[in-house]
Amino acid sequence: MIYSDRTLSHRTQTSLHPVFSLPALRRGGAFWIGFGLLCSSAVMAAPSPIQSDFDDDAVLVTLPASAPASDSAPSSPEAMAREIQRLISEARRSGDPRFLGYAERLFNQQASQELNDPLLVLRATLAQSLHRFDAARQDLNTVLDRSDAPAQRAQALLTLANIEMVQGQYDRARPLCEQLTTEYPGLIASSCHAQVAARTGSAKVAYDELATATRSLSNVSIQGFLWAQGTLGDIAAQLGQGSAAGHWQQVLSQDPDDLYTRAQLADWYLQNENPRQALVVTEGYEAVDSLAVIRAIALHRVNHPDAAALASRLRERFDEALWRGSMLHQRDLSRFELDIEQRPDAALQYAMANWTSQREPLDTRLALRAALAAQDEAVLARLHEWLKQQNQSDARYPEAS
């Protein structure tokens, strides 16, 4: 499973050892909090009344300690690349989307023609994180058309393959994985192939081949190994195998702030009737929407006294995001509407708005669940037709349970 957010430093089996130094590669497609005005037909309740009368010494908001100290652009392309990379990595580590805004502000200060290949890849990474997939494709294709640098090409190929995978364009992702294998063989490329194969009818073969590769390949970095473990976890979950949790736990043992993997594991526990373990995995991560929603569901299922309070905070957070029309991942809102608010029609609206651009298994699963709950046969038929076209099956989908 290729994602939009894991920093890689993976050496190949050949004598050439480029390093993935950019934060473009975390599983899960796009960053979990994205820009976008939601459908205008939604009920957009205003949050609590806005206060405008404060004392002169009142603290209204505290900026993150690692926020940029200056608004000015760095003095060189290399310095700018390091700062952009730091900001994107911090956004992914913390779940705080303000760091993406800081990065975008720096790019807005530079003319496009002044950006070198590393900066174009970083701009594509930022666009991907903000669900601006077409803009990301344009920058990545520019790099692939003009660059001979192995590290930049490998980064661009994998990020582009990731985007196609996230959007369910497997026929476009497959040749990119093949090109990645040619230019940069190893576990990262093998994981790319495995993910495409798993989502197009060959999950068992893909799992077995990648598992064998993780045991047999030599000169593999810890990043490459963990990338493969995350992929194996996703395919194992697709196959309904209990080993999925073990693969994800290996990733988190080395990178506790891999928020996508943490959400995958927590969701796996929730699906497999183990809400208490989901609570363990999500503890301390209530600031991240995807993890907070999973935690709210788990609290509700165990009748925890904190369930209502967290649901209330999430409700206010989502209402404010809807009211402002900014920075909201529709998958999280849809799941909140479905599993906490018990409003399947609203859940289906957001689930399908999300599924239009993101078609990872968890996006498809949520759309299926919402359509079933809303008893919308037309949407169910559309989803099943797409799954048939892709030859995709998944033990996490409702019809398989």
Side-chain angles (χ1 to χ4, degrees), residues 99-140:
F99 289 98
L100 299 180
Y102 300 147
E104 185 169 40
R105 182 176 61 196
L106 290 179
F107 275 121
N108 288 341
Q109 296 176 19
Q110 299 288 323
S112 292
Q113 61 268 24
E114 297 175 358
L115 300 180
N116 60 15
D117 291 339
L119 285 172
L120 280 181
V121 173
L122 280 168
R123 190 170 71 172
T125 300
L126 178 63
Q128 177 195 27
S129 296
L130 298 173
H131 298 187
R132 299 170 185 167
F133 298 117
D134 288 341
R137 282 188 182 93
Q138 183 174 343
D139 280 345
L140 294 169

Side-chain angles (χ1 to χ4, degrees), residues 62 64 94 174 177 180 212 219 230 242 279 301 318 323 359 364:
T62 302
S94 66
R174 187 176 289 107
C177 296
L180 186 66
T212 299
N219 196 26
L279 290 175
R301 290 190 183 177
F318 287 139
W323 182 71
R359 299 186 178 185
T364 301

Side-chain angles (χ1 to χ4, degrees), residues 95 102 118 171 226-227 318 347 358:
Y102 300 147
D171 288 343
L226 293 177
W227 185 276
F318 287 139
Q358 293 199 155

Side-chain angles (χ1 to χ4, degrees), residues 24 41 85 116 120 128 135 139 161 171 187 197 234 242 341 363 372 374:
S41 60
Q85 178 178 338
N116 60 15
L120 280 181
Q128 177 195 27
D139 280 345
D171 288 343
L187 278 183
D234 187 55
E341 301 287 48
D363 300 302
L372 284 168

Side-chain angles (χ1 to χ4, degrees), residues 109-395:
Q109 296 176 19
Q110 299 288 323
S112 292
Q113 61 268 24
E114 297 175 358
L115 300 180
N116 60 15
D117 291 339
L119 285 172
L120 280 181
V121 173
L122 280 168
R123 190 170 71 172
T125 300
L126 178 63
Q128 177 195 27
S129 296
L130 298 173
H131 298 187
R132 299 170 185 167
F133 298 117
D134 288 341
R137 282 188 182 93
Q138 183 174 343
D139 280 345
L140 294 169
N141 282 319
T142 297
V143 171
L144 291 172
D145 287 342
R146 76 186 191 187
S147 177
D148 293 325
Q152 298 305 322
R153 291 188 60 79
Q155 186 81 24
L157 282 168
L158 186 51
T159 307
L160 191 55
N162 173 51
I163 290 172
E164 303 301 354
M165 207 103 59
V166 166
Q167 297 204 289
Q169 302 285 353
Y170 306 116
D171 288 343
R172 295 182 185 177
R174 187 176 289 107
L176 293 167
C177 296
E178 292 170 356
Q179 191 173 351
L180 186 66
T181 300
T182 299
E183 298 189 25
Y184 195 74
L187 278 183
I188 305 300
S190 296
S191 297
C192 187
H193 279 291
Q195 197 62 60
V196 173
R199 295 186 187 177
T200 54
S202 300
K204 183 63 168 64
V205 172
Y207 180 89
D208 291 343
E209 290 182 350
L210 184 57
T212 299
T214 62
R215 295 189 295 266
S216 61
L217 290 180
S218 60
N219 196 26
V220 174
S221 73
I222 185 62
Q223 289 86 354
F225 176 77
L226 293 177
W227 185 276
Q229 289 300 315
T231 303
L232 288 168
D234 187 55
I235 300 175
Q238 181 180 346
L239 293 167
Q241 297 178 354
S243 60
H247 292 300
W248 287 324
Q249 286 164 349
Q250 285 202 58
V251 176
L252 293 177
S253 70
Q254 297 294 319
D255 185 6
D257 288 327
D258 183 334
L259 301 182
Y260 182 85
T261 297
R262 185 170 290 278
Q264 287 276 81
L265 179 58
D267 190 55
W268 172 258
Y269 284 134
L270 209 55
Q271 290 178 52
N272 287 274
E273 307 301 327
N274 195 348
R276 295 192 182 280
Q277 273 303 118
L279 290 175
V280 172
V281 175
T282 57
E283 186 174 1
Y285 288 89
E286 291 183 10
V288 181
D289 285 353
S290 57
L291 289 164
V293 170
I294 292 173
R295 184 171 183 81
I297 298 168
L299 288 170
H300 177 74
R301 290 190 183 177
V302 301
N303 295 314
H304 196 283
D306 292 342
L310 179 54
S312 179
R313 291 196 297 274
L314 279 168
R315 188 175 300 112
E316 184 170 349
R317 189 186 305 177
F318 287 139
D319 283 348
E320 181 176 354
L322 283 168
W323 182 71
R324 295 183 185 279
S326 64
M327 304 218 61
L328 179 67
H329 195 304
Q330 295 177 81
R331 180 204 288 176
D332 300 327
L333 175 59
S334 174
R335 190 160 190 189
F336 181 79
E337 293 283 2
L338 183 62
D339 293 325
I340 299 297
E341 301 287 48
Q342 306 291 309
R343 295 195 295 217
D345 290 336
L348 180 58
Q349 175 186 335
Y350 297 125
M352 291 308 294
N354 173 64
W355 191 80
T356 299
S357 63
Q358 293 199 155
R359 299 186 178 185
E360 290 194 283
L362 293 188
D363 300 302
T364 301
R365 172 176 173 262
L366 179 58
L368 287 165
R369 290 182 59 230
L372 284 168
Q375 299 181 335
D376 193 318
E377 296 297 331
V379 171
L380 280 171
R382 177 185 173 189
L383 293 168
H384 285 133
E385 178 60 27
W386 183 82
L387 289 170
K388 182 180 178 181
Q389 291 172 357
Q390 310 308 319
N391 194 25
Q392 185 176 129
S393 61
D394 197 307

